[in-house]
Amino acid sequence: RILVLPTARCYCDKIWNNLNGCRAPGAETFTLPYACPMDHIYDLPSWFSGAQGEMPEFREPGFLEDSRVPDAVTSSVGRVVVGRNGDTRAGYPTWSLGAGGGGSVGDGDGGDETPLNLPHGFTGPDAVAALQGLEDKRVIAVDFLGNEGTFCGFGDHAANVRFDKRTHGPLRGDQYYCFTELWQDQGSPRG
């Protein structure tokens, strides 16, 4: 399988400059959050360098909506609803039925069966067992993997360590900017 990354939502711009209200100078009225470029979230050079270990092949957000993707792919969709432990901040895709699946979606895109459910706090072996019913699907859509404690590792300490080592660089999320407001509050230092 190939990972299709979710749309990244940024709550602050990422530029090598001062930021005014988390926005680039001159863009103070820009609406936050916004769908941001991948390099705002991921360290792409590290992802592709292999220095941190093997990272999965991926496709950009929106890939499955591209008209060049064959119908055989877009019409073969299995859905997975992940328990959120009460966290509703991310919203829900229309097919997840608002929180927890529980019914046929019938949206005509090949995901018309009842979504599978994974509990909050699932592990790798839990996911493998739950997803066996989707082996024939070309696409597996997961509605949420966002809050702390959603995924609780691979069920094996050594596998957890390997994953952490592989993802440290690509997912480290370095930020380099200066909030104008904080800079002014500190007396506008020059050093």
Side-chain angles (χ1 to χ4, degrees):
R1 298 214 184 258
I2 297 174
L3 173 66
V4 178
L5 293 169
T7 299
R9 304 295 296 165
C10 284
Y11 292 82
C12 200
D13 203 355
K14 182 176 180 180
I15 61 170
W16 292 54
N17 201 340
N18 285 358
L19 294 175
N20 301 323
C22 252
R23 296 163 180 89
E28 289 84 1
T29 60
F30 186 67
T31 302
L32 297 175
Y34 65 100
C36 56
M38 291 174 58
D39 67 347
H40 278 38
I41 304 294
Y42 309 106
D43 180 347
L44 294 175
S46 180
W47 190 305
F48 292 113
S49 73
Q52 300 295 326
E54 183 182 332
M55 289 296 290
E57 184 178 352
F58 70 88
R59 300 292 181 266
E60 70 280 355
F63 172 80
L64 294 170
E65 287 78 37
D66 190 300
S67 61
R68 295 170 290 180
V69 177
D71 290 342
V73 173
T74 59
S75 65
S76 178
V77 180
R79 310 287 191 184
V80 179
V81 174
V82 178
R84 297 181 182 211
N85 199 31
D87 188 342
T88 60
R89 293 172 294 174
Y92 297 91
T94 56
W95 57 262
S96 77
L97 303 177
S104 176
V105 180
D107 59 10
D109 69 353
D112 295 343
E113 292 113 18
T114 301
L116 295 178
N117 289 288
L118 278 173
H120 184 267
F122 73 92
T123 64
D126 297 333
V128 168
L131 298 178
Q132 285 181 354
L134 300 178
E135 288 175 340
D136 64 327
K137 298 296 183 183
R138 301 283 301 272
V139 176
I140 298 175
V142 180
D143 81 327
F144 178 76
L145 289 175
N147 67 4
E148 187 174 341
T150 300
F151 174 68
C152 291
F154 298 95
D156 171 43
H157 178 71
N160 293 339
V161 169
R162 282 191 306 275
F163 177 81
D164 289 346
K165 183 177 179 182
R166 287 178 180 164
T167 60
H168 174 75
L171 304 182
R172 73 174 162 246
D174 288 343
Q175 296 297 318
Y176 37 83
Y177 49 78
C178 178
F179 290 112
T180 300
E181 299 86 350
L182 180 60
W183 177 73
Q184 289 172 339
D185 289 348
Q186 295 177 354
S188 306
R190 296 275 179 202

